[in-house]
Amino acid sequence: MGVITLTRVYDDDGKAGRGPRFLVERLWPRGVRRADLQLSDWLKDVAPSNELRRWFGHEPEKWDEFRRRYFAELDERPEAWAPLRQATAAGDITLLYSARDTEHNNAVALREYMTARQAKLVPR
């Protein structure tokens, strides 16, 4: 499995990370031009649902419950993160996100989810 790098779109110079670059946000980041991100793909459906996103509101005290609910959404939609699974099987990837909080956001949770799920798929 490849390495999953996280990069905040507002701190991105287009050279951060390695491999294909995926925006994992439901909404397009404000003030960012598509050409500036040099995306491989924008995976809206891998982002948390609008309801979950609004509920969380980037409040760190809700982080554990957010992760639990987000992981349940991802379990229900394996096709949403299949492109990421396939890309990491081939090598390194970069997940782009827009949140200010670099420790409590959906990209952090998604990387955790993918790492845990893919570890179960790799024969030992």
Side-chain angles (χ1 to χ4, degrees):
M1 183 175 110
V3 173
I4 302 172
T5 302
L6 305 180
T7 301
R8 186 170 181 263
V9 295
Y10 300 108
D11 301 332
D12 184 39
D13 62 2
K15 298 174 187 161
R18 298 179 294 220
R21 297 161 51 89
F22 299 94
L23 179 63
V24 292
E25 297 282 355
R26 191 158 299 277
L27 304 174
W28 188 262
R30 290 181 182 178
V32 176
R33 295 183 335 182
R34 290 177 192 252
D36 292 343
L37 289 186
Q38 301 174 15
L39 288 179
S40 300
D41 205 353
W42 176 17
L43 302 177
K44 296 178 205 175
D45 291 337
V46 79
S49 66
N50 286 325
E51 297 79 18
L52 180 57
R53 184 177 55 80
R54 286 186 199 111
W55 172 84
F56 177 47
H58 296 283
E59 297 176 34
E61 60 275 7
K62 294 180 178 178
W63 177 243
D64 289 337
E65 181 63 14
F66 167 77
R67 287 173 43 253
R68 188 191 68 72
R69 292 181 187 188
Y70 184 34
F71 293 174
E73 287 184 356
L74 291 168
D75 284 344
E76 292 173 9
R77 297 186 328 249
E79 71 285 353
W81 62 281
L84 298 175
R85 184 175 56 244
Q86 293 162 356
T88 57
D92 299 342
I93 67 169
T94 299
L95 301 181
L96 299 167
Y97 67 95
S98 60
R100 285 186 190 114
D101 186 336
T102 60
E103 296 177 28
H104 306 99
N105 65 66
N106 65 293
V108 171
L110 178 59
R111 177 174 60 184
E112 178 185 344
Y113 176 88
M114 290 181 57
T115 301
R117 296 310 183 274
Q118 291 187 312
K120 293 178 185 177
L121 301 176
V122 176
R124 305 241 181 237

